[in-house]
Amino acid sequence: MQNKLQELTDKLYREGLSKGQRKADQLLTKAKDEAAQIVERAKEEAAAILAQAQKSAEEAKINMEGEVKSASRQTMATVKQAIESLIMTKIIAEPTKEALSETDFIKSLVKTAIERFDPQNSNARLSVILPEAMQKSLRSFAEKQVQQHLFGGVDIQFDKTFKAGFKIGAKSDGFYISLTDKDFSALFGEYLRPHTRALLFGG
């Protein structure tokens, strides 16, 4: 009797142990599957993050290269413009201002301009504006021109707003032809700038 009871006990123990082992194996298999899925998802997410990071890095590189190229072009354009302006100042602005600051040259220009306007045969009173800085050297010349064309009507004034050259026009309508150093420099620059640019930078 005792043997049978022992056998029954052993059988129940083995069956319970067997069921527990199967349950444990099932749980272990499920845990392994879930772990494998988690690892796979983690790998996929890591790959996606890496791909996005590479894409962002590539976009940043392209943007940076574009900004560098744009900055380089702007810098080069600025440098070229500065060089061009310096050259134009040396070959046009300075010599023009120097020439239009010479008393005899200004006298001849003003005299020729007055003659071309012919105030003797015009009803309009002629006005000539000269640089204030040249007032001392041109005072006697100005008085002489006024006396010569007194009846035709010539007014000569001095203005501090420009340094070289002169302005001439009909006083009544306030319209003047400006022949200052800046005007001549701008005029000469229009013709010489393209040739100077081609000479300096090609094309």
Side-chain angles (χ1 to χ4, degrees):
M1 180 72 178
Q2 189 172 358
N3 289 336
K4 289 193 177 199
L5 184 59
Q6 185 64 41
E7 287 177 5
L8 183 59
T9 301
D10 291 342
K11 182 179 179 183
L12 290 172
Y13 173 77
R14 286 193 300 272
E15 288 178 356
L17 186 62
S18 178
K19 287 180 180 180
Q21 185 64 45
R22 285 197 301 272
K23 186 66 175 176
D25 290 343
Q26 290 175 355
L27 291 174
L28 181 60
T29 300
K30 184 179 180 182
K32 286 181 179 179
D33 291 342
E34 289 178 352
Q37 292 175 6
I38 291 171
V39 169
E40 188 63 29
R41 283 198 299 271
K43 287 181 179 179
E44 290 174 357
E45 289 177 3
I49 291 171
L50 180 60
Q52 183 61 43
Q54 289 175 337
K55 182 180 178 182
S56 298
E58 189 63 28
E59 289 175 352
K61 179 184 176 184
I62 292 171
N63 291 336
M64 183 63 70
E65 288 175 350
E67 290 177 6
V68 169
K69 288 179 181 178
S70 177
S72 297
R73 284 193 297 268
Q74 291 175 359
T75 301
M76 185 60 68
T78 301
V79 170
K80 284 183 177 180
Q81 187 175 11
I83 292 172
E84 184 181 309
S85 296
L86 180 63
I87 296 296
M88 296 300 285
T89 298
K90 290 294 182 184
I91 66 176
I92 294 178
E94 291 179 2
T96 300
K97 185 174 183 179
E98 184 178 342
L100 292 176
S101 297
E102 293 180 3
T103 304
D104 291 337
F105 184 55
I106 284 294
K107 286 179 181 179
S108 65
L109 286 178
V110 171
K111 187 175 180 180
T112 301
I114 291 174
E115 289 172 355
R116 292 294 181 270
F117 271 86
D118 194 11
Q120 299 288 350
N121 297 320
S122 173
N123 294 325
R125 191 167 186 82
L126 194 63
S127 180
V128 179
I129 304 175
L130 296 166
E132 189 177 79
M134 300 181 73
Q135 186 170 359
K136 287 183 179 179
S137 60
L138 293 175
R139 184 187 299 276
S140 60
F141 168 75
E143 291 173 352
K144 183 179 179 181
Q145 292 301 313
V146 170
Q147 289 174 359
Q148 281 184 350
H149 301 283
L150 185 62
F151 298 105
V154 174
D155 287 335
I156 295 185
Q157 305 168 26
F158 293 91
D159 191 335
K160 63 180 179 181
T161 59
F162 62 100
K163 303 298 181 184
F166 66 99
K167 298 178 182 180
I168 188 168
K171 187 175 182 180
S172 58
D173 57 18
F175 174 77
Y176 291 92
I177 296 174
S178 183
L179 301 168
T180 66
D181 57 326
K182 291 183 179 179
D183 298 317
F184 278 109
S185 294
L187 178 64
F188 295 149
E190 287 297 317
Y191 289 101
L192 292 179
R193 195 175 299 277
H195 302 291
T196 303
R197 189 179 297 122
L199 183 64
L200 288 172
F201 310 115

